[in-house]
Amino acid sequence: MTLLQPPRAVPRATRARARVAAVVLLVLGTALLLAGCSTSGPSSGATGYITGDGVVTVVDPEDRAEAPDLEGTTLAGEVIELVDYRDEVVVINVWASWCPPCRAEAPDLVAAARQLPETAFIGINTRESNASAAEAFVRDQRIPYDSIYDEDGSALLAFQGLLSPSSLPSTMVIDRAGRVAALVLGTVDTATVVGLVEDVTRESVPS
């Protein structure tokens, strides 16, 4: 899968059709990557940004859609709402303690969060029937940011068309205008997260 980023010279109608095709490809990509969580690791995918294990999609600012509403209670019992992070770049990571690729990428996400102290990180701990296992995962990996406890996957319903309740692992970058700027389906490494965030941070905030 290559970078789904239409050239600026392409007519608006053509770009619109391309975005529809992109959603279809993302859903198909999600289904392929899910198979990785049931075996020894994630499926391999072509990267459109830098070398990594996941499929990376970067969206041009003029083509970005508003991020869905996200609200939930964290493992620590605090309520998180994505709208409260407007004017900040936000990284959202979907994970579960029982998912091998999620465990594999955790140290990279921790390193990225420490390298990006001005960036908000939010985890979504999904399809986790045992909160104690999730809490142990957070302690063992020394994850420095909060995660919404999404036992039944309902928190991801707002992301329908981009993610499913079974999208594990996956990572999104939300720009300061509250729009989806990038999506990684599959494991992500530190350099990819840092690079995506730095690119989005350098952008001017739309009026």
Side-chain angles (χ1 to χ4, degrees), residues 45-56 108 184 187-193:
T47 300
Y49 192 74
I50 61 175
T51 301
D53 293 330
V55 177
V56 182
D108 283 279
V184 184
T187 55
V188 68
D189 59 26
T190 302
T192 299
V193 176

Side-chain angles (χ1 to χ4, degrees), residues 59 64-68 159 162 172-175 178-183:
V59 185
R64 291 175 189 167
E66 190 82 7
F159 295 92
L162 289 175
M172 273 184 287
V173 178
I174 310 299
D175 68 17
R179 305 171 304 177
V180 179
L183 172 65

